[in-house]
Amino acid sequence: MHKLVLLVLCGAAYALAAPGARIVGGQGASIEEYPFSAVLMYYWEDVWQPNCGGALVTRTTILSAATCYGFALPSTFSARVGSTSRVTGGTVVAAREFVFHPDYLKVMEALQPMPFDLVIVRVAPGIEYSTVIQPARIPAAQFPLPTGTALTALGWGQTTNNGSLIGIITEASETLKQVEVRVFDQQTCRERYSAYEIVDHMLCSIAVEGAGTCRGDSGGPVVLDGDVVVGISSWRRNNLCGNDFYPEISTKVSTFSQWIVENGSG
């Protein structure tokens, strides 16, 4: 069994793994810096194609965005961990099960954007930890993120904003990228997205103009203090990458920490 446990540290509650959408306008990152980073790949036309990102939280559990997988079979996905490159190195494991948040299952046939955009990807065999493979921490339920808090978004997605909404991600980065984003005021976020419903379990963030997540970064971690996954990249308006008016939307992990603890062990 690979369990998640709760820990109180320096007055803040975190969930720890026991025993430990491409970035546009960002910078290179290394797996040594972010050893929990995972790239999820989809088998299509006899080739493993980059699909989404993820965050390793136990030896058998990766957090990602539910909208990356839809009605697909787990057998059509694999995950690479322990490598800065999405195409070579590290360890590749097969996805064996998708555990969708139950509220997501109620709305998964609705139009985008979807709430409850969170999935646990269970992989096999269990992943061995090393200097380049380590679990991330997740925040417990009460975890304030004041407006302006600096966060880091990670991913292997598109390096340019070509406006494409569908199809294979042909401009995915071959190496891990990072970009600094800052927590955006929730009420202003709702006002800017007046045509959409921005609910409390969504985390709004924004980068400088011309920078941010893009296609292929969905499911990737948004982290605080290097390894605390506070968000899972979810969506942005009309796939506008690096837009300085419409914030990027992530799933707020703290809202679902108890569900992750209850379902992430295995």
Side-chain angles (χ1 to χ4, degrees):
M1 294 288 288
H2 308 290
K3 296 182 178 179
L4 288 162
V5 298
L6 291 177
L7 173 70
V8 176
L9 178 63
C10 298
Y14 294 85
L16 287 178
R22 136 77 188 147
I23 304 297
V24 173
Q27 300 176 331
S30 71
I31 200 66
E32 288 81 8
E33 294 175 276
Y34 305 105
F36 49 85
S37 298
V39 57
L40 279 296
M41 299 171 289
Y42 177 65
Y43 196 68
W44 187 79
E45 293 191 347
D46 299 323
V47 177
W48 286 104
Q49 303 281 357
N51 186 68
C52 282
L56 184 72
V57 292
T58 78
R59 288 183 172 89
T60 57
T61 301
I62 294 173
L63 292 184
S64 190
T67 48
C68 292
Y69 309 98
F71 297 99
L73 296 174
S75 59
T76 60
F77 281 86
S78 65
R80 186 185 302 275
V81 296
S83 178
T84 300
S85 169
R86 66 169 172 81
V87 294
T88 62
T91 299
V92 177
V93 290
R96 65 177 175 87
E97 184 181 10
F98 298 141
V99 183
F100 295 100
H101 190 275
D103 289 323
Y104 174 79
L105 294 175
K106 298 174 184 177
V107 298
M108 66 184 301
E109 294 184 3
L111 296 176
Q112 297 281 7
M114 292 184 187
F116 309 104
D117 191 10
L118 184 67
V119 66
I120 290 170
V121 181
R122 289 185 175 147
V123 299
I127 298 167
E128 293 299 319
Y129 293 151
S130 68
T131 57
V132 292
I133 303 176
Q134 289 291 319
R137 297 185 289 175
I138 62 171
Q142 301 302 317
F143 193 86
L145 284 172
T147 298
T149 300
L151 308 173
T152 302
L154 301 164
W156 281 269
Q158 284 186 189
T159 57
T160 58
N161 179 16
N162 63 10
S164 176
L165 295 173
I166 59 174
I168 293 300
I169 302 165
T170 57
E171 299 174 2
S173 175
E174 289 198 3
T175 57
L176 182 63
K177 303 292 183 183
Q178 62 182 333
V179 64
E180 181 178 308
V181 299
R182 292 188 178 270
V183 176
F184 194 78
D185 178 70
Q186 194 81 352
Q187 182 55 42
T188 307
C189 185
R190 289 189 174 99
E191 292 169 359
R192 293 190 180 185
Y193 278 109
S194 57
Y196 302 91
E197 184 180 11
I198 304 299
V199 294
D200 288 342
H201 64 255
M202 293 178 180
L203 174 64
C204 301
S205 63
I206 202 162
V208 298
E209 184 176 3
T213 59
C214 202
R215 286 191 67 227
D217 290 320
S218 296
V222 180
V223 301
L224 174 72
D225 295 337
D227 71 341
V228 182
V229 180
V230 296
I232 296 294
S233 293
S234 182
W235 60 277
R236 65 204 62 78
R237 183 181 174 90
N238 295 336
N239 220 47
L240 293 172
C241 308
N243 184 275
D244 65 343
F245 183 80
Y246 290 107
E248 301 172 357
I249 309 299
S250 302
T251 300
K252 187 184 295 184
V253 174
S254 60
T255 308
F256 304 100
S257 59
Q258 190 58 44
W259 178 81
I260 294 169
V261 170
E262 291 171 356
N263 293 274
S265 299

